[in-house]
């Protein structure tokens, strides 16, 4: 912002410029600075400030690591809340994280949804029209740790019955393990792994 | 709320950042920048003309591209490879090098397990800094030309200034993301004992492997540098890469932050604030329209669920913590800005929701990739000035300098390259079903192919990920599209700016066609929309529009089954 609008074109410079050797030196310097120095300094600082989060938000029970608060686990037993379908490997496999990538027009999606929907309807004793969409759809990464509040609500009766707990007690535990975004961001979700751990602890 | 906060925060931060950038690129090298330059050992004191600038840009990019290709091809025998990951196949290495040197981050290799730590850090993360810096440098060279300076700056100095901005910004974002749960460690994967053991194909599974790593550092520059390539395969949909609605807000804002800030910076740098405002307005109108389209579409139920679940938004491929609005917003802005990261699977969007990302990439300058988005926009400005000049019978001129045959020829070539490459390769690929490798049948299959080339041309990197694209055909053709689509739209406009700067400027009079009025902004908008509609409407009608129409008919929704 030092010069005013130039009316006359300036002289074209033809000064000799650094050649290919300088290009190489410049490139190598930034490959190392951005590829090694930056990640090492950043990772070390972040790991020092937030050690629990930096290591994968692990959950321990009795000293043993039983999962991550950010990664879904597969539950099938009637005493547990059951999470969303997963397209990650054989289900909830973080080394094969994936969505289904099935288009709404793909008959394979409809077949999969129909099977899941029938399974849930039988297990919870509700009509298909009451099953929330998140319980029959695979998440984007295949590791979604949450189900919707409605998705938890239709499972309350079964879990309470199998465990011999009151429905209200189960609802309290759901509320305690519901995570909501600050400032009204996103959607509230029930963390299935944390909820099931709380259920095990409640007995 | 997600949508309002994302735009509000991005604009609130973009203005001061734009002022900072304009100052940084106007002032002589700061002590910090000179210090960095001294470390590189390159003499960056002499100004360059556009040819020298272009040569240095192309030269360093070729060298870095070759280095990355060698790195991926030889990683098996290089250090920092604890898991003994083998070399990438030649065509995958070629595509990956082309993809990361062009700021695209289209990934055809499968998952996290294909790259060694050295490849991941030096071959990927470093390029995620260098390539947006190159885009920013190229933008300021073009702007200097438009200011009438035949010395368009010094390439090494400009790149260093840009990286000097990106590193501290990424550092701060990485800390914010780690606070939300994004891993930051060099230790290996964690193992958890499952609460309820599972049986998979007759085998008992009692543990779960939780991969961690220096994820936050990479995700920060992935978002700030309009890169998009993630640590985990499904990108920011994975809870470890994007754990909370707040981390999602940070990342959404980062996607558009630098692209918006650069438009502010350009207005100040050209000393034409009203022109900057006009560009922002045109871009924002398109951005809002695209975002609205995606949000309304994804609030509709997925047709495959009809009769099988309660009617609500399309949740296939989406995360509960984000919901449909924040996912649709991300899908819209990530494709407007050439970022290409995702927080939900675009392949499973409703057909019209999947149309929005395609439109964003056809336009590719609704804020656009760092530097290059605005350069694309300036090409459209030149074309609009030319058309407007013809309409009123006046010699077209931009900022007082005449736009003549040579400039228009270059601009036309740059604009025509897109339909030629995208539609040409799409047609060639669908003509040979054996090489197409699409995973979804029917109209959606065409959309998948079109999307892949569209994403390659836009240097975006997102995909309809069901496509089986790690084949020699896909790798080589995409590499060709990637490289041509990156460098010709940089060098062409650089040449235009260089030629314009050599011309005598006429003082602006009342007869001058002004480019900073609402009338011109409207004209610019119509020229862009008409051109892209004419280019791509037929392909879009055969893909997403046809898919939507078949889904809407009761026979195909399955409601009668």
């Amino acid at each position: 912002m030092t010069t005013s609008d130039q009316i006359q074109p300036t002289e074209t410079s033809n000064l000799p410029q650094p050649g290919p050797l300088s290009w190489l030196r410049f490139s190598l310097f930034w490959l190392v600075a951005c590829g090694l120095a930056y990640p090492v300094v950043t990772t070390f600082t972040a790991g020092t400030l937030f050690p629990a989060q930096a290591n994968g938000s692990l959950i321990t029970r009795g000293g043993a690591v039983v999962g991550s608060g950010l990664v879904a686990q597969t539950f099938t037993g009637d005493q547990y809340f059951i999470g969303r379908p997963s397209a990650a490997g054989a289900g909830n496999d973080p080394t094969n994280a994936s969505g289904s990538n099935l288009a709404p027009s793909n008959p394979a999606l409809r077949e999969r949804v129909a099977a899941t929907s029938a399974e849930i309807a039988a297990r919870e004793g509700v009509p298909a029209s009451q099953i929330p969409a998140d319980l029959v759809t695979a998440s984007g990464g295949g590791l979604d740790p949450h189900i919707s509040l409605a998705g938890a609500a239709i499972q309350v009766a079964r879990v309470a019955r199998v465990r011999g707990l009151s429905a209200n007690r189960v609802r309290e535990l759901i509320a305690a393990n519901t995570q909501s975004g600050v400032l009204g961001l996103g959607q509230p979700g029930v963390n299935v792994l944390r909820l099931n751990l709380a259920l095990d602890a409640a007995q | 709320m997600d949508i309002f906060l994302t735009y509000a925060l991005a604009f609130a931060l973009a203005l001061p950042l734009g002022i900072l950038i304009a100052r940084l690129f106007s002032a002589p090298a700061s002590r910090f920048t000179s210090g960095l330059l001294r470390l590189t050992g390159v003499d960056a004191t002499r100004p360059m003309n556009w040819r020298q600038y272009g040569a240095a840009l192309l030269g360093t990019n070729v060298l870095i591209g070759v280095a990355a290709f060698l790195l991926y091809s030889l990683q098996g025998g290089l250090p920092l490879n604890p898991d003994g990951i083998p070399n990438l196949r030649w065509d995958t290495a070629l595509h990956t090098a082309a993809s990361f040197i062009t700021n695209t981050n289209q990934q055809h290799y499968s998952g996290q397990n294909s790259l060694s730590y050295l490849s991941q850090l030096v071959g990927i993360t470093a390029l995620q800094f260098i390539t947006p810096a190159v885009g920013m440098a190229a933008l300021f060279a073009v702007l200097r030309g438009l200011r009438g300076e035949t010395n368009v700056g010094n390439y090494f100095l400009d790149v260093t200034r840009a990286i000097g901005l990106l590193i501290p910004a990424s550092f701060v974002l990485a800390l914010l993301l780690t606070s939300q749960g994004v891993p930051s460690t060099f230790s290996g994967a964690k193992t958890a004992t499952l609460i309820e053991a599972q049986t998979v194909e007759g085998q008992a599974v009692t543990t779960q492997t939780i991969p961690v790593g220096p994820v936050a550092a990479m995700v920060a520059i992935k978002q700030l540098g309009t890169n998009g390539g993630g640590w985990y395969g499904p990108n920011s949909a994975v809870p470890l890469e994007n754990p909370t609605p707040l981390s999602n807000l940070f990342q959404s804002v980062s996607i558009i932050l630098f692209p918006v800030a650069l438009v502010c910076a350009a207005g100040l740098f050209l000393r034409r604030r009203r022109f900057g405002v006009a560009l922002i307005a045109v871009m924002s109108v398109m951005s809002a329209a695209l975002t609205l389209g995606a949000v309304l579409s994804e609030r509709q139920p997925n047709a495959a669920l009809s009769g099988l679940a309660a009617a609500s938004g399309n949740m296939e491929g989406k995360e509960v913590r984000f919901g449909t609005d924040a996912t649709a917003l991300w899908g819209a802005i990530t494709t407007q800005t050439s970022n290409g990261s995702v927080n939900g699977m675009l392949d499973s969007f409703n057909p019209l929701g999947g149309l929005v990302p395609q439109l964003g990439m056809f336009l590719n300058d609704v804020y656009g990739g760092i530097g290059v988005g605005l350069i694309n926009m300036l090409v459209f400005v030149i074309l609009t000035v030319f058309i407007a000049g013809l309409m009123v019978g006046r010699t077209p001129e931009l900022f007082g300098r005449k736009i003549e045959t040579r400039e228009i020829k270059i601009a036309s070539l740059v604009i025509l390259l897109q339909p030629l490459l995208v539609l040409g390769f799409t047609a060639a690929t669908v003509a040979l079903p054996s090489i197409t490798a699409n995973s979804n049948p029917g109209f959606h299959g065409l959309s998948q192919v079109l999307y892949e080339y569209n994403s390659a041309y836009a240097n975006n990197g997102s995909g309809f990920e069901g496509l089986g694209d790690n084949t020699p055909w896909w790798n080589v053709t995409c590499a060709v599209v990637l490289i041509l689509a990156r460098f010709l739209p940089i060098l062409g406009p650089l040449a235009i700016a260089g030629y314009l700067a050599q011309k005598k400027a006429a003082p602006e009079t009342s007869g001058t066609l002004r480019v900073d009025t609402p009338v011109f902004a409207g004209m610019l908008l119509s020229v862009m929309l008409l051109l892209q509609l004419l280019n791509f409407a037929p392909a879009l009608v055969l893909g997403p529009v046809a898919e939507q129409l078949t889904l809407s008919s009761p026979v195909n929704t399955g409601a009668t089954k």
Side-chain angles (χ1 to χ4, degrees), chain A residues 83-103:
Chain A
R84 302 181 64 187
S86 165
N92 297 314
D93 176 2
T95 58
N96 283 301
S98 176
S100 74
N101 284 313
L102 296 175

Side-chain angles (χ1 to χ4, degrees), chain A residues 101-161:
Chain A
N101 284 313
L102 296 175
S105 59
N106 195 326
L109 177 62
R110 185 156 179 88
E111 276 172 37
R112 195 205 71 201
V113 170
T116 314
S117 172
E119 202 179 296
I120 296 173
R123 189 175 64 220
E124 316 296 350
V126 293
S129 61
Q130 282 180 23
I131 300 174
D134 61 293
L135 288 190
V136 296
T137 49
S139 67
L143 305 175
D144 195 342
H146 297 113
I147 53 176
S148 63
L149 297 177
I154 66 162
Q155 303 187 41
V156 167
R158 165 181 53 87
V159 173
R161 188 181 66 239

Side-chain angles (χ1 to χ4, degrees), chain B residues 538-551:
Chain B
L540 292 175
V541 167
L542 286 174
V545 175
E547 190 187 356
Q548 176 70 39
L549 291 175
T550 50
L551 281 182

Side-chain angles (χ1 to χ4, degrees), chain B residues 434-457:
Chain B
S434 60
I435 53 172
T436 311
N438 43 16
S439 63
N440 283 298
F443 301 115
H444 194 81
L446 174 68
S447 303
Q448 282 186 307
V449 174
L450 179 67
Y451 196 103
E452 192 70 4
Y453 286 118
N454 186 5
S455 171
Y457 188 90

Side-chain angles (χ1 to χ4, degrees), chain A residues 179-189, chain B residues 1-6 244-246 248-249 299 320-323 325-326:
Chain A
Q179 296 168 326
S180 304
V182 291
L183 304 168
L185 289 165
Q187 302 287 328
Chain B
M1 198 63 197
D2 294 86
I3 298 164
F4 170 75
L5 272 181
T6 301
T244 64
L246 189 60
N248 192 63
L249 176 72
R299 282 185 181 180
V320 165
R321 63 193 178 285
F322 307 141
D325 282 7

Side-chain angles (χ1 to χ4, degrees), chain B residues 20 72 99 127 187 205 368 377 491 526 540:
Chain B
L20 178 74
Y72 310 138
S99 169
L127 267 58
S187 81
V205 177
M377 188 60 144
L491 297 177
S526 352
L540 292 175

Side-chain angles (χ1 to χ4, degrees), chain A residues 25-75:
Chain A
R25 199 155 48 185
F26 187 77
S27 309
L28 287 179
F29 173 81
W30 283 121
L31 283 175
V32 171
C34 302
L36 294 176
Y38 159 79
V40 168
V41 171
T42 307
T43 301
F44 177 77
T45 312
T48 311
L49 289 175
F50 309 104
Q53 295 95 318
N55 283 293
S57 308
L58 301 175
I59 303 172
T60 52
R61 183 168 68 174
V65 175
V66 293
S68 162
L70 297 174
V71 181
Q73 280 181 20
T74 307
F75 289 97

